[in-house]
Amino acid sequence: MTTKSTDLADALAEHRRLSAQRLEGSGELRVFFAPGRVNLMGAHLDYNGGPVMPTAIDRGTLIFARVRSDREVHLASALEEGEFHGSVDDLPSSASGAWFDYPLGVLRHRSQEGELAHGLDLFFGGNLPIGAGLSSSASICVGTAYALQGLGNGRIDLEACIASALWAEREFVGVHCGIMDPYAVGLARPNHLLWVDCKDGQVDHVPIDSDRLTIAVADSGVRRELAGSAFNDRVDQCARAFALLGDGVSGASCLRDVPREVVDAQRTRLGEDIWKRACHVTDEVERTLMARAALDGGDFAAFGRAMTASHDSLRDQFEVSIPELDFLVETAVAWPGVLGSRLTGAGFGGCIVILMETRACPGFAAHLNASYRSRFGRDSDVQFFQGDRGPRELQDQA
Ligand code: GLA
């Protein structure tokens, strides 16, 4: 991946040194970690009330944190330019386009909830590539909320962390995202996929055979900003589809509830683009339900086929792929022992996720990278992930 240090222990040592240089104050810095995530099934379903199947990855955000004796707030990062200096009594009411909008949004939410009574020094780092579709934004937001609770030494309330993260992204930064990313960062477990039914928020942990199966991620190196971009455009298109279709389906509360026949019957009224978006959603709901059943029944090949079918739909119906991601998926699935692959995150760049037999891993990264390099003239870093157990304080290493 495109971070300077990929190993968390390296990142920790490097960022501890930097934090001492960049934060002027004194006092013990406690260190918190929040993972990133990959989504294996349920693409663009969370904001349509559908089911999703992400998991956390053992790469994420490091937060060096301490309470200040005054009411100043200082936010700095090892990964980004620019710092925030302000007062806890006068936090900005709107985003500025800077990286610190995300933690600032969390601070503002905690402050509105009456739970921010002191100044803070926060220094961010980690080993998660930013803007690569691995949910660096939910990682920093959930991690910030977790660090605030950790500094307060009270009970950790993960639901409150998720709520603050969602508020920061939606209300402060202005990305109309669904609930999947902070749920995955906050609640996923190692050796499991997280099942979230985004209509009612019901959560389940589905075991995967991690001796036999490996989750790999390949980075296209192409970056897109989410806020105000094509992502919000897709959210709006789905909302328009539901506005046009929902009345015709008794009891429907979201696009997930609309059957494919109803979508097709209204094709002319929807117009070609909105019809295609709605087709993706209805088909992806079916695929995700089928993929869950396949996983429960140990049919990993069927789960993998659903992932690749999901990618085809993201390319042709939802139109959020790019040639680099299509090439990576096609090359990955041609490798013996790869069960399935698709873009992960919102699309328009970022990474693909690959489900493969563990025995098929040797040689795979070199092959995928060499193929990508010969086609696009740049590298695709490929990483094999272990699941992660969610946000925590790194007490031993602090
Ligand atoms: C982004 C959003 C998520 C989700 C995915 C697509 O990561 O933040 O809420 O919509 O895209 O599945």
Side-chain angles (χ1 to χ4, degrees):
M1 298 283 156
T2 52
T3 42
K4 275 187 237 150
S5 20
T6 51
D7 181 72
L8 194 63
D10 288 353
L12 191 62
E14 183 190 335
H15 296 348
R16 186 186 288 112
R17 190 178 50 74
L18 285 170
S19 67
Q21 287 169 8
R22 300 272 295 279
L23 299 175
E24 312 98 21
S26 57
E28 181 208 3
L29 282 165
R30 289 165 64 181
V31 188
F32 299 87
F33 173 78
R37 70 96 189 87
V38 283
N39 185 27
L40 280 82
M41 281 304 298
H44 287 269
L45 290 192
D46 56 352
Y47 55 86
N48 288 303
V52 296
M53 298 186 81
T55 193
I57 56 176
D58 55 351
R59 284 200 177 185
T61 306
L62 285 169
I63 303 174
F64 295 72
R66 73 178 156 227
V67 171
R68 291 175 63 117
S69 54
D70 58 19
R71 301 188 63 76
E72 297 299 299
V73 173
H74 181 191
L75 309 179
S77 169
L79 308 173
E80 305 266 16
E81 297 293 320
E83 300 189 355
F84 175 81
H85 292 268
S87 162
V88 74
D89 300 310
D90 187 25
L91 293 171
S93 57
S94 57
S96 66
W99 68 269
F100 47 73
D101 286 341
Y102 293 90
L104 213 43
V106 171
L107 297 190
R108 189 147 173 108
H109 186 246
R110 301 312 291 163
S111 167
Q112 279 173 201
E113 302 283 300
E115 293 188 17
L116 189 62
H118 47 69
L120 286 162
D121 285 330
L122 298 176
F123 184 76
F124 297 88
N127 57 359
L128 190 64
I130 293 165
L134 301 177
S135 213
S136 53
S137 53
S139 177
I140 196 171
C141 288
V142 172
T144 301
Y146 189 96
L148 293 185
Q149 290 190 5
L151 288 177
N153 291 324
R155 187 178 70 88
I156 297 288
D157 178 348
L158 284 172
E159 282 181 17
C161 294
I162 292 169
S164 290
L166 277 171
W167 190 92
E169 286 219 56
R170 288 173 172 167
E171 309 301 328
F172 196 76
V173 178
V175 180
H176 303 157
C177 58
I179 65 174
M180 174 177 71
D181 297 350
Y183 268 65
V185 168
L187 303 178
R189 291 182 189 158
N191 307 325
H192 291 75
L193 296 186
L194 181 72
W195 169 272
V196 187
D197 187 318
C198 299
K199 190 169 162 188
D200 59 12
Q202 188 217 325
V203 167
D204 202 0
H205 296 274
V206 188
I208 47 171
D209 181 347
S210 350
D211 288 335
R212 187 170 156 200
L213 299 176
T214 291
I215 295 171
V217 169
D219 192 346
S220 70
V222 179
R223 297 286 178 265
R224 292 281 190 279
E225 286 296 323
L226 267 188
S229 70
F231 177 79
N232 281 350
D233 185 50
R234 292 299 183 281
V235 177
D236 290 347
Q237 288 178 324
C238 290
R240 289 220 294 284
F242 184 64
L244 290 166
L245 297 170
D247 286 348
V249 183
S250 152
S253 64
C254 52
L255 193 53
R256 176 252 183 94
D257 293 331
V258 177
R260 176 67 189 259
E261 314 83 79
V262 175
V263 174
D264 286 342
Q266 298 293 329
R267 182 170 179 168
T268 312
R269 192 158 155 249
L270 291 170
E272 202 62 10
D273 280 356
I274 308 264
W275 171 75
K276 285 203 271 188
R277 308 303 179 244
C279 288
H280 167 76
V281 171
T282 55
D283 295 355
E284 183 77 356
V285 169
E286 290 306 313
R287 270 191 295 271
T288 305
L289 294 171
M290 193 277 284
R292 165 77 197 261
L295 202 57
D296 287 342
D299 188 349
F300 306 125
F303 186 93
R305 284 195 297 277
M307 287 175 68
T308 309
S310 171
H311 183 81
D312 293 346
S313 177
L314 289 164
R315 181 191 59 215
D316 300 334
Q317 307 280 61
F318 218 63
E319 298 182 291
V320 292
S321 192
I322 56 170
E324 287 87 341
L325 294 172
D326 296 338
F327 179 85
L328 284 171
V329 167
E330 281 158 29
T331 310
V333 296
W335 183 260
V338 166
L339 302 173
S341 177
R342 49 162 287 234
L343 69 83
T344 190
F348 315 108
C351 295
I352 65 162
V353 57
I354 302 137
L355 183 69
M356 61 197 296
E357 303 266 1
T358 302
R359 60 176 175 75
C361 291
F364 174 72
H367 168 73
L368 193 62
N369 184 43
S371 308
Y372 190 66
R373 168 160 279 286
S374 81
R375 172 73 174 75
F376 289 102
R378 63 169 174 269
D379 289 320
S380 170
D381 194 9
V382 183
Q383 300 288 336
F384 301 97
F385 283 104
Q386 303 298 322
D388 192 82
R389 65 188 170 86
R392 56 195 173 269
E393 183 166 8
L394 302 181
Q395 278 163 336
D396 297 337
Q397 296 133 308

